[in-house]
Amino acid sequence: MNKTRIIQVSPSVMCADFLHLDREIELFEKYNIPLIHVDIMDGHYVPNFTLGPDFCKKIAERTSIPLDIHLMIEDVDNYIPQFAEFNKPFICIHPEVSYHPLRSIELIRSLNARPGFAIDPSMPVEQFKYLLPAVDMVCVMTVNPGYAGQKLIPSMLEKIEELDDYRSRKGIDLLIEVDGNVSWDNIPAMIKAGADILVAGTSSIFSREMDREDAMKKMNALILQEAE
Ligand code: DX5
Ligand code: ZN
């Protein structure tokens, strides 16, 4: 493992206990969680609905942990400004929803947010590799977007490796995030393939089988172990 790589976890708060969100955030701060993943779904790009700008506003008022906003929505250019307000967030869009993805990326950057692409499992690296220099992060969807609790699509590990190899060969400063079934068993392979940011949902931090603090301790220990 390259010593300079830092592995970060980004808990997917759509999986959090909404009735005890303050406590969830308290634990994020206690365990030095560096990002908070917020899945925004509009029922059009994906069949599900989840969170929105008001939710992001509440989280941003409660904590200084940066938001890692994943827009699974259509008509992104119209909504990006609403999400750019929250202390320099990552904002990831699915490039196929924008007629001109590079313009959308420039819009995000112009609003002092950190742009990224979220890549559907069906989209090959070939289709977006020339856009990579324009973004700070690529979120590799390792399940079909839209729902928590799904199983890893194994071929996505190859896509992560391909991206890792491409950024190394081209000297592109790019973070690779993985999103979906980032489970205790899948994390080592995901990190080995090149993942830098782990979106942790029901498969790990928000697992129903574990105490939340134990899960956060386990996550931090696993990251330390795998980053060596
Ligand atoms: C799926 C979401 C994921 C999901 C991860 O569209 O983007 O963030 O919440 O949760 P698990 O770990 O259950 O796959
Ligand atoms: Zn997500």
Side-chain angles (χ1 to χ4, degrees):
M1 170 66 67
N2 174 341
K3 280 288 176 215
T4 57
R5 267 183 65 205
I6 295 167
I7 309 296
Q8 301 182 77
V9 62
S10 183
S12 175
V13 283
M14 74 177 260
C15 307
D17 177 353
F18 286 176
L19 298 180
H20 301 93
L21 210 45
D22 188 53
R23 171 73 176 140
E24 302 276 39
I25 295 171
E26 199 180 290
L27 291 177
F28 292 164
E29 292 173 333
K30 180 178 178 183
Y31 289 94
N32 302 312
I33 299 292
L35 290 167
I36 297 177
H37 189 85
V38 188
D39 289 308
I40 308 294
M41 302 181 192
D42 65 358
H44 291 283
Y45 177 72
V46 288
N48 196 6
F49 290 84
T50 50
L51 311 163
D54 289 347
F55 179 86
C56 293
K57 184 171 170 23
K58 287 287 177 217
I59 300 281
E61 286 169 352
R62 166 62 181 77
T63 181
S64 60
I65 300 175
L67 301 186
D68 165 24
I69 299 171
H70 177 187
L71 296 182
M72 284 169 269
I73 65 173
E74 293 179 345
D75 192 15
V76 280
D77 292 351
N78 195 22
Y79 291 103
I80 282 167
Q82 292 185 53
F83 291 99
E85 289 171 18
F86 311 117
N87 68 353
K88 205 173 165 48
F90 279 110
I91 298 181
C92 274
I93 65 168
H94 285 259
E96 68 274 27
V97 302
S98 172
Y99 284 119
H100 305 287
L102 278 180
R103 285 182 193 273
S104 304
I105 292 304
E106 283 158 15
L107 172 62
I108 294 171
R109 213 179 276 289
S110 73
L111 295 167
N112 198 27
R114 295 181 283 180
F117 284 129
I119 304 300
D120 185 86
S122 61
M123 188 179 279
V125 172
E126 277 307 310
Q127 193 168 335
F128 62 90
K129 68 181 187 181
Y130 297 120
L131 304 177
L132 291 177
V135 294
D136 293 355
M137 182 231 274
V138 172
C139 171
V140 177
M141 291 304 302
T142 39
V143 297
N144 286 309
Y147 296 95
Q150 302 177 88
K151 286 300 168 211
L152 167 71
I153 299 167
S155 57
M156 293 302 104
L157 292 173
E158 188 184 327
K159 187 188 287 187
I160 300 163
E161 284 170 356
E162 223 182 300
L163 265 174
D164 183 42
D165 176 56
Y166 188 78
R167 70 175 173 182
S168 306
R169 277 188 297 110
K170 299 290 182 186
I172 299 172
D173 186 13
L174 177 78
L175 290 167
I176 298 174
E177 179 174 83
V178 287
D179 186 357
N181 196 212
V182 181
S183 66
W184 307 123
D185 294 339
N186 293 332
I187 285 171
M190 290 171 162
I191 292 175
K192 186 165 180 287
D196 305 299
I197 303 175
L198 309 174
V199 174
T202 63
S203 321
S204 51
I205 279 188
F206 297 108
S207 162
R208 293 184 191 289
E209 278 91 60
M210 274 185 97
D211 166 77
R212 191 77 83 239
E213 280 208 72
D214 292 344
M216 289 197 195
K217 284 177 196 159
K218 180 169 183 170
M219 178 60 82
N220 282 344
L222 187 55
I223 285 175
L224 266 181
Q225 170 194 313
E226 292 303 319
E228 277 161 16

